[in-house]
Amino acid sequence: MFYYSSIADYLDNKIHSFKSESIITLKSKNRPFLKLADDEDLQHQYHFLMERDNGLYEIGFPLIQVADFADTP
């Protein structure tokens, strides 16, 4: 499994790999992407992964509005 920290990294083919000892910080404004290796498959569907191509997913972040927490009559 590989990730691209932004759409620019994806278009430039700047691949990053996951390492168990590292902490990955992704920002929604960068539109990060996740690419599965040829022998990988998702075990579950995740609502925050938007499939853009076969094995290529854009990682979506839910937008939270202040109004979501306000008491409305």
Side-chain angles (χ1 to χ4, degrees):
M1 184 179 300
F2 305 99
Y3 75 94
Y4 302 88
S5 59
S6 69
I7 193 166
D9 282 358
Y10 172 70
L11 294 173
D12 289 338
N13 202 29
K14 293 181 181 176
I15 298 173
H16 307 280
S17 63
F18 289 98
K19 296 179 182 175
S20 60
E21 66 273 1
S22 65
I23 296 174
I24 300 167
T25 302
L26 301 174
K27 296 181 180 181
S28 61
K29 66 179 181 179
N30 296 335
R31 296 181 60 192
F33 281 76
L34 179 70
K35 175 71 175 161
L36 300 179
D38 292 336
D39 61 344
E40 290 181 311
D41 192 22
L42 289 179
Q43 298 296 320
H44 304 284
Q45 294 296 324
Y46 299 96
H47 65 280
F48 57 87
L49 292 179
M50 297 168 284
E51 189 168 13
R52 299 300 185 206
D53 199 2
N54 190 20
L56 177 67
Y57 297 89
E58 183 176 349
I59 302 172
F61 295 87
L63 296 176
I64 299 173
Q65 303 292 329
V66 175
D68 294 340
F69 298 101
D71 291 331
T72 56

